[in-house]
Amino acid sequence: MGEALQQQLAYVGYGLYLLLIIAGGLAAVMSTSLVRALMGLILTLFGVAGMFLLMNAPFLAFMQILIYVGAVSVLIFFAIMLTKTPEGEAGAENMLEWIGMRAGLAVLAALTPAIIMATLIVKKAPAALALKPEVTLAQLGEFLTGPFVLAFELISVVLLAAMAGAVVLGFERRKGK
Amino acid sequence: MAGDLLLFLPEAACLLMALALFGLSLPRVQDQRRVHSWTMGLSLVMVAAGLAGLFQEGSLFFEAYRVDLFSQFFKLLLAVALFLVLSICRQLTGVEERYQPEFFLFLTTCTLGMMLMVSAVELMTLYVALELSSFSLYILVPLRSGDNIDVEAGVKYLFIGITASCVMLFGMSYIFGAVHSTYLAKIAATLPLWIHQPGAVIGLLLTLSGLLFKLAAFPFHFWAPDVYQGAANQVTTYIATASKAAAVALLIRLTALSAGTSLYLLDVLMALCVASMTLGNLAAMVQSDLKRMLAYSSVAHAGYVLMGVLTMTRLGYSSAMFYSLAYMVMNFAAFMVVVKVASGGQDLKISDLAGLHRRAPLLALTLMLALFSLAGIPPTVGFTGKFLVFAAAMQDGHFWLVLVGMINATLSLYYYLMVIKAAYLAEPAGPREALAVSGPTRALNYALIAAMVYLGLFPRQVLELAEQAVRNIF
């Protein structure tokens, strides 16, 4: 493939991903249904992953899809399902089974494409333009344990505070009810 | 290695204190008194560590972390603020008893975040440290027991805080895009070349807005009244003292990056300064809740501090540093009285202060001095602070700004005097029993009064320290 064509394709890709990000963002903000808003968020996250690919950082794209699209979104789905009773559904008599089944389906629906796409990305990383040298895993690790080591370590303290806080506040609210 | 540890001493003490408190929070049954004594002891160790580390200098963590007099000054200030706030938490009436260790834990992690923040000279480290302190406060605000006002305050604080964080990150991305580095030293070297580009100014302004949120300056002040009112009195005290000092430190560090070369930045900061002062003072006049009034007064004080910061001269920066110390002392004194008078942990109306001079003469005296100081009446520390800030702005040629500041200081006198009037002249509607003031509280009161007057009359030592500290960054 010629250099010029590649360049043009990169622009097309950029436009496509940008469209995904903006459309997803709009959907997330404008939708009245929480689930639809979350779908919008997922769309945006896919777009961002695409941007990472364009910037020749396949590992980050991989992480973006696996962690954000896969794990975090499922977590938010769980939070929505557990806090809100489903409305307008027939056969709500057997709630627990419903929730269990839906949770299973949700995990399946979100994780399957995520895993397939993530493996595809890693296995068949598209040849990118020579815009920037690829940020390899080793380089990333060196950055995290070198210049950014304090920030990296600090995140653990942030997580400690956040988790302890979630536990304390969660208990407090439940007792209040 | 040992030298490095000495550099990191205040933070290490703070981290150890947080871990100890985490341990203390684990048992099912807690002895409230014992937990508090332990916390006080640990916090005293932290103050000692802060003192020991005051004149340390050096770099840590691949130059991402700078220890100099500037950072150590603020770290000592933060350690003292934490100690003071903890000292009024003996009867933690606003918070459920079994969450007491967690309450102290979050106060400590918040202080840790701020300590790291004032030393961080790399944007990512700075951001994570800022988030550590913010997260802790997001949790502390809704920890209040009782009515549901705390939930509203907590949610508002969280949303506005997250938005401010996003804006700040966006700004940082602009700076990174312009300079290709997250290290402040490198940014300071390159940014003046870029400062006339809109992108660089926008980046710097957006980054600053995250700090203006912490400082509750206009237009990021919306959370302040609700959070001040909705959070437990002790948490409000902490937000109003320690968190402001840290924000001022970062504002100084980040505005110093532009080296005063950007007129746009100056214009925007001037507009924010005037708006904060005027809006805060006007809104404070009509408040009936004491904490809400103090919240709006803090918006006004953010304006005064900004006046020192925006000069971007050594004099301006050192006066802003002095002002943040003065503000911490006088605001703490005012809030201490609020906490003591509201012994049930309730919100305090200004009218509830009626007859305070008979119920607790010492508290009334402290409150009066604190409010005089906030209004800027000599010989208190508040007057000296305002004088220094105004003088620095005047010297830099901002005559109009100083004039607006003067008018605002006069305006603020009105609502501060209303509170003093309630405390000294108004008679309570029903018979009110005398407030018991314990020995340690008495000592704290005397110490605060002494500090407010002493620093007001003899600011030289602290001011020289601040001037010396500013030389490290500018």
Side-chain angles (χ1 to χ4, degrees), chain B residues 327-368:
Chain B
Y327 186 66
M328 193 195 96
V329 175
M330 57 200 187
N331 222 14
F332 175 77
F335 273 105
M336 193 262 315
V337 176
V338 173
V339 170
K340 290 295 169 197
V341 174
S343 49
Q346 74 274 30
D347 290 331
L348 213 56
K349 295 255 173 280
I350 294 177
S351 52
D352 290 342
L353 288 172
L356 186 67
H357 72 292
R358 233 175 277 155
R359 293 167 66 207
L362 186 60
L363 288 182
L365 180 67
T366 314
L367 182 67
M368 182 173 76

Side-chain angles (χ1 to χ4, degrees), chain A residues 135-176:
Chain A
V135 181
T136 60
L137 255 180
Q139 276 174 312
L140 209 64
E142 272 166 27
F143 266 115
L144 283 182
T145 50
F148 298 109
V149 65
L150 184 58
F152 186 62
E153 294 294 331
L154 253 185
I155 289 173
S156 57
V157 188
V158 177
L159 283 179
L160 171 73
M163 283 194 292
V167 170
V168 169
L169 288 183
F171 275 127
E172 171 129 319
R173 292 295 153 244
R174 195 171 296 169
K175 217 197 64 169

Side-chain angles (χ1 to χ4, degrees), chain B residues 57-77:
Chain B
E57 211 169 322
S59 281
L60 287 172
F61 304 114
F62 299 85
E63 309 285 317
Y65 199 75
R66 175 101 199 116
V67 175
D68 51 27
L69 190 57
F70 178 76
S71 68
Q72 303 307 87
F73 176 89
F74 277 104
K75 273 178 213 163
L76 183 60
L77 212 63

Side-chain angles (χ1 to χ4, degrees), chain B residues 128-143:
Chain B
V128 177
L130 184 84
E131 285 300 288
L132 176 58
S133 70
S134 301
F135 272 44
S136 312
L137 285 179
Y138 296 153
I139 302 160
L140 277 171
V141 170
L143 253 190

Side-chain angles (χ1 to χ4, degrees), chain B residues 445-465:
Chain B
N445 269 287
Y446 288 132
L448 284 169
I449 292 173
M452 280 190 282
V453 175
Y454 179 82
L455 285 172
L457 291 176
F458 308 104
R460 179 150 296 280
Q461 281 166 319
V462 178
L463 198 60
E464 271 170 6
L465 199 66

